[in-house]
Amino acid sequence: MAELTLSNYLGLLLEDPYDTELVDGLRELLKSPGPANDDQDPLRLLEAARGGHERRGEFLAASWLIELETELITDDPDFQKVLVKELGRVRRDELMDDRGALVAYQKLGGVDSEDPEVAQAVDQIQQVEDKWAEVARRFIEEARDAADPRLKTSLLTRAASLMWQYGGDATVDETDAIFDEALAADPSHMPTARQYALSLRARGRWEDVVSVFVRAATAARTREEKASAWLQAARVLR
């Protein structure tokens, strides 16, 4: 069997952006003395692939590729810091992974970072860890008083994200209810659909994942969002 090239791996990840084994294979390939890369710059290939995943809302795959990019960069510490900061942002804002974001931000100095945005993000995460339930309740109260559907959905999504990350099994049913309430207010809100689907995927609730994306596709405001939502539903159904 012919050796898989970097382009081969990235093509396979395009087909299944949730396959951790592909990322492991990519990492091993990139660590090899003479990786098969079709005579192309590995960083450029990774960056281009990451951009595609980001445009389709596939932020888990995008985060994996950012990690690989940071591991490849050895001669540009400033750019490496930019990538690590972006990794922290994606984990926190898109993947409901505050703890993973902290791991990235600690590499940049954590709360004592020279980058004020990093220091602020770390401080916020650390404060939320201690009082996540209180913060989530406040978001829910503000959401139910909000007249604007987009604001209502955004606040409810933030609450559900905190409950999913910190509440564990004790809050999982309520977390689902809050996500459902958020999508009822604005079913076209793709960030909410993606995060809810991420939590459902983690529990193997595949029919519900499809339902979330079908609802988002039906209500989508743009062609790009509609196509992204239908694609995510189709990935589960195939």
Side-chain angles (χ1 to χ4, degrees):
M1 182 177 177
E3 179 184 8
L4 290 178
T5 67
L6 180 54
S7 295
N8 293 149
Y9 272 113
L10 294 175
L12 292 170
L13 191 63
L14 174 66
E15 294 298 317
D16 186 356
Y18 300 95
D19 191 335
T20 56
E21 291 185 2
L22 286 175
V23 180
D24 292 339
L26 267 170
R27 180 170 279 109
E28 288 302 312
L29 175 67
L30 292 170
K31 286 181 178 178
S32 62
N37 58 20
D38 303 320
D39 296 323
Q40 298 185 62
D41 182 353
L43 274 174
R44 288 186 178 277
L45 289 175
L46 291 173
E47 182 179 11
R50 170 165 59 91
H53 287 293
E54 289 172 341
R55 287 189 294 275
R56 291 186 295 276
E58 296 163 352
F59 288 99
L60 185 59
S63 72
W64 291 337
L65 294 179
I66 294 173
E67 286 186 79
L68 294 176
E69 288 179 74
T70 63
E71 293 169 10
L72 276 183
I73 296 173
T74 58
D75 58 352
D76 192 343
D78 289 337
F79 183 49
Q80 188 177 55
K81 289 177 182 178
V82 169
L83 287 175
V84 173
K85 181 179 177 180
E86 175 64 6
L87 178 60
R89 187 202 67 78
V90 169
R91 286 174 173 172
R92 185 186 184 198
D93 294 349
E94 304 290 348
L95 300 178
M96 301 187 293
D97 184 10
D98 283 359
R99 294 181 178 93
L102 274 179
V103 171
Y105 290 143
Q106 293 298 346
K107 294 178 180 178
L108 301 175
V111 73
D112 297 318
S113 174
E114 296 179 356
D115 185 327
E117 292 181 352
V118 171
Q120 182 182 44
V122 172
D123 182 58
Q124 290 172 346
I125 292 171
Q126 290 175 340
Q127 289 188 43
V128 165
E129 280 184 319
D130 296 329
K131 52 183 180 181
W132 65 267
E134 176 187 340
V135 175
R137 292 297 164 209
R138 187 169 69 247
F139 284 149
I140 292 170
E141 291 171 3
E142 292 176 4
R144 289 173 178 167
D145 288 336
D148 179 63
R150 298 286 282 185
L151 176 59
K152 183 186 294 288
T153 295
S154 178
L155 289 167
L156 289 171
T157 301
R158 292 169 72 183
S161 170
L162 292 177
M163 294 165 69
W164 170 252
Q165 292 185 77
Y166 299 105
D169 293 339
T171 63
V172 69
D173 290 340
E174 187 178 6
T175 301
D176 287 345
I178 296 300
F179 269 129
D180 280 327
E181 186 178 347
L183 285 175
D186 183 4
S188 71
H189 198 259
M190 281 300 294
T192 301
R194 286 194 297 264
Q195 290 192 4
Y196 190 14
L198 197 64
S199 76
L200 294 167
R201 179 179 285 275
R203 290 171 279 162
R205 290 175 51 182
W206 305 112
E207 290 184 4
D208 291 325
V209 172
V210 173
S211 177
V212 165
F213 281 122
V214 168
R215 178 164 49 169
T218 303
R221 297 168 183 262
T222 68
R223 287 184 178 181
E224 291 76 13
E225 289 181 343
K226 185 180 289 291
S228 174
W230 280 122
L231 175 62
Q232 297 311 314
R235 290 195 191 284
V236 178
L237 289 170
R238 69 183 179 186

